[in-house]
Amino acid sequence: MKPLSGCILAVVLLTAGCKREQRLFDPGPNASQLASSVHATVVQAGGQPYQPASTTPYEQSAYAVAEGKRLYSAYNCAGCHGVGGGGAIGPALSDSVWIYGSSPDQIYATIVQGRGNGMPAFGGKVPDFQVRELAAYVRSLSGQLPSTIAPSRSDVMPVAKAEQARKQEHPGDENIQPIQHPESH
Amino acid sequence: MIALAILIAVPGFGSNQSSLNPVGPMAQRIEHTLALIFFITGAVYLLTMIAVGISVWRNRLVRDDFPPPLQTPPEQDRKAVTAVAGAMGVSVLLLFIMMVASFITSHAIGKENGRAPFEVDVYGHQWWWEVQYPQPEADKMVVTANEIHIPIGSLVRIHGTSTDVIHSFWAPNIHGKRDLLPGYENDFVIQADQPGRWRGQCAEFCGPQHAHMSFLMIAEPMDKFHSWMEAQAGTPPPPSTPQTQHGQQVFLSHACIMCHTIRGTVAGSRVGPDLTHVGSRDTIASGTLPNDPSHLAKWVLNAQQIKPGVRMPPNPMPQQELNDLVAYLESLR
């Protein structure tokens, strides 16, 4: 039975990575609703500070991230943020500077409600799951996703490194100045 | 005979999607070559089978000469060599004839490329066809999807390319297959001589919905073609009934506006098919469904159940809004 068990082992090993390729074409009625609700504030009742989710199921599916990449050009995000996220009239998405936060929830909120200084609100125009896919792709632009999930190639002539090959930028690199408390001498 | 019987039994022999029912000079030439190759190879197949049958029958085992002698008599050897060499010579000759015939066909079809009074741009998308009729005046430009209207008896140049993966344009009654390649423009000339609705299909696997990527070549007399062009170039009148007015509001305030164009409104995105005259088309979803209110409503509500993987997301919305939206879309003629 050696060859048989060997075959079974090989199949198990080969299919172990297939989950990332799972395609969820119809995400169900809830996720298909137009995106509208977001956390209005990061201040919450209770002792615990608001903890943004560090990852979402969309960030574990290569298909969802690839869809995010397609939507990024289809919905003309590239028009302002540049193909490959290099930035143009909108800020770059491929660096370590996150003006309105780097977590999936915060990016979701940025897309849905818009931000001052030019980011339009896409709430009520884009289905919820597509905003999540976009947020996942935006994070891949600065190397936040594992290389097995991030897109590896472009349909157009590549103008920047593949998302998969990017080095992870850390929001902590922003070198935030500590708040200066006025102190008495 | 058997092969001929099979050929005749093939469904769609004379249908609107069959290269055995050519309606234009290009398809006719292709069909002649097909017939030539079919009858040559069919005859060779029959003769070979008959020869095999005869030799099996002649050399069948007879009890008293078992086991058969290992040595064959020299004159039988000579006969075998002559027969094999002769058959090989005939094969080479026949293959050569078929090759020359296919060269002549390709040349005759390609010869027309220089002159064509009409031009149509075809873009393959996953999984639909964008069709544009370029015009000298930009505002007369006609953009439609999945339906290619052509005048009969006139050469039409198809200027084909793809926006994503490789597709293949194939309307078998009118022409052979032509690949549509991203980043490369493939020009070819077609002509249909019979009015009719000739169905075409993507002939290069292009993703999960490749099978649901068909189109209609609508060949019609010149005057009908021109009046169709005239109608398509115009902007549809603004919605007149309260229902269609509300439908337009639904269209403009939902996700529809992110991907589709309706000329005369603020919707101007080029991701999905142009819907300016969607009500005038025969089918929706690239020939997948007939274009009627109930199918359109199901398609808008959840296209993923009909064509899983299609780029259109599900659009859950209240029944009233859906009805008004569909009424508006069907009014765009």
Side-chain angles (χ1 to χ4, degrees):
Chain A
M1 291 314 270
K2 269 272 171 61
L4 180 64
S5 48
C7 283
I8 291 172
L9 186 69
V11 167
V12 166
L13 286 177
L14 283 172
T15 52
C18 289
K19 193 165 175 275
R20 70 179 196 103
E21 286 294 346
Q22 221 166 43
R23 297 181 171 204
L24 186 65
F25 292 141
D26 182 0
N30 277 341
S32 302
Q33 293 294 340
L34 295 176
S36 59
S37 64
V38 292
H39 277 281
T41 168
V42 296
V43 179
Q44 294 196 143
Q48 290 297 311
Y50 169 67
Q51 285 289 329
S54 58
T55 185
T56 66
Y58 294 91
E59 295 193 351
Q60 282 146 33
S61 158
Y63 174 70
V65 181
E67 281 292 284
K69 177 167 182 159
R70 190 173 63 75
L71 297 171
Y72 182 83
S73 60
Y75 293 163
N76 210 14
C77 309
C80 293
H81 294 287
V83 179
I89 52 172
L93 303 174
S94 54
D95 58 10
S96 63
V97 182
W98 296 90
I99 304 171
Y100 299 106
S102 67
S103 78
D105 278 0
Q106 287 163 325
I107 297 170
Y108 176 90
T110 301
I111 296 170
V112 169
Q113 68 192 10
R115 298 288 187 187
N117 300 326
M119 175 77 188
F122 289 89
K125 292 274 186 288
V126 180
D128 192 83
F129 75 98
Q130 290 192 339
V131 181
R132 303 269 176 211
E133 289 171 346
L134 275 165
Y137 174 65
V138 165
R139 272 164 58 78
S140 80
L141 285 168
S142 57
Q144 308 297 325
L145 302 190
S147 63
T148 48
I149 305 287
S152 59
R153 58 173 291 276
S154 297
D155 285 340
V156 294
M157 187 146 6
V159 293
K161 226 182 219 178
E163 290 81 356
Q164 182 184 59
R166 295 188 182 189
K167 118 177 173 321
Q168 187 177 4
E169 303 284 351
H170 294 282
D173 296 350
E174 290 167 27
N175 193 16
I176 300 163
Q177 298 298 314
I179 298 165
Q180 302 290 320
H181 291 283
E183 280 171 30
S184 52
H185 296 283
Chain B
M1 207 54 78
I2 302 163
L4 197 67
I6 291 171
L7 186 70
I8 289 165
V10 166
F13 181 65
S15 77
N16 72 337
Q17 188 180 354
S18 163
S19 43
L20 302 173
N21 178 25
V23 299
M26 291 85 193
Q28 229 141 37
R29 283 186 173 279
I30 292 171
E31 202 240 353
H32 289 162
T33 318
L34 177 77
L36 179 76
I37 293 174
F38 175 79
F39 285 113
I40 289 178
T41 50
V44 168
Y45 177 78
L46 275 183
L47 290 176
T48 313
M49 284 301 123
I50 289 168
V52 168
I54 290 172
S55 72
V56 165
W57 180 252
R58 270 213 202 143
N59 296 297
R60 67 191 187 281
L61 278 184
V62 188
R63 198 167 281 270
D64 52 350
D65 63 357
F66 188 82
L70 288 174
Q71 289 286 325
T72 45
E75 97 274 10
Q76 198 179 336
D77 248 3
R78 232 182 0 262
K79 265 167 79 183
V81 168
T82 323
V84 170
M88 214 153 85
V90 171
S91 301
V92 169
L93 183 72
L94 291 177
L95 285 171
F96 192 76
I97 290 173
M98 289 189 273
M99 185 181 74
V100 170
S102 96
F103 284 168
I104 291 172
T105 305
S106 299
H107 178 75
I109 290 172
K111 203 171 61 183
E112 308 287 1
N113 266 2
R115 42 191 198 88
F118 293 97
E119 209 170 301
V120 184
D121 295 348
V122 175
Y123 298 84
H125 293 262
Q126 280 177 323
W127 292 276
W128 59 284
W129 308 85
E130 183 179 354
V131 183
Q132 294 187 2
Y133 294 78
Q135 300 290 330
E137 302 107 285
D139 64 332
K140 290 278 185 314
M141 176 118 154
V142 168
V143 184
T144 181
N146 307 323
E147 276 190 14
I148 306 173
H149 285 246
I150 52 170
I152 52 171
S154 170
L155 291 172
V156 177
R157 181 205 297 280
I158 305 276
H159 192 68
T161 185
S162 163
T163 56
D164 34 51
V165 299
I166 299 176
H167 301 280
S168 187
F169 181 95
W170 189 35
N173 299 71
I174 293 175
H175 204 297
K177 296 173 186 173
R178 277 290 189 279
D179 276 9
L180 307 184
L181 306 151
Y184 181 84
E185 284 161 358
N186 216 345
D187 273 26
F188 52 101
V189 170
I190 60 166
Q191 180 178 334
D193 291 333
Q194 279 178 39
R197 314 172 91 72
W198 312 109
R199 194 173 181 276
Q201 171 74 37
C202 181
E204 174 77 47
F205 181 72
C206 58
Q209 289 305 332
H210 162 63
H212 289 137
M213 184 172 169
S214 64
F215 59 94
L216 273 181
M217 298 286 293
I218 299 177
E220 50 199 5
M222 193 63 85
D223 52 333
K224 272 183 86 178
F225 171 74
H226 278 300
S227 60
W228 175 83
M229 280 281 274
E230 200 97 331
Q232 293 284 310
T235 303
S240 49
T241 67
Q243 190 185 24
T244 50
Q245 278 161 0
H246 181 235
Q248 187 183 43
Q249 283 315 305
V250 173
F251 185 90
L252 298 178
S253 61
H254 267 73
C256 323
I257 197 175
M258 293 299 287
C259 295
H260 293 288
T261 292
I262 293 180
R263 273 172 276 146
T265 72
V266 293
S269 184
R270 303 283 308 279
V271 179
D274 187 305
L275 301 180
T276 309
H277 296 284
V278 65
S280 72
R281 294 182 206 146
D282 265 17
T283 64
I284 49 173
S286 204
T288 309
L289 300 172
N291 187 6
D292 58 45
S294 73
H295 283 101
L296 187 56
K298 280 181 193 138
W299 176 257
V300 171
L301 203 57
N302 195 346
Q304 298 297 333
Q305 281 183 349
I306 298 162
K307 208 168 157 180
V310 72
R311 302 312 193 196
M312 177 136 155
N315 294 290
M317 62 175 81
Q319 194 62 41
Q320 184 62 43
E321 288 193 2
L322 184 64
N323 289 346
D324 294 353
L325 174 63
V326 167
Y328 169 61
L329 290 174
E330 294 290 358
S331 77
L332 298 171
R333 290 186 167 272

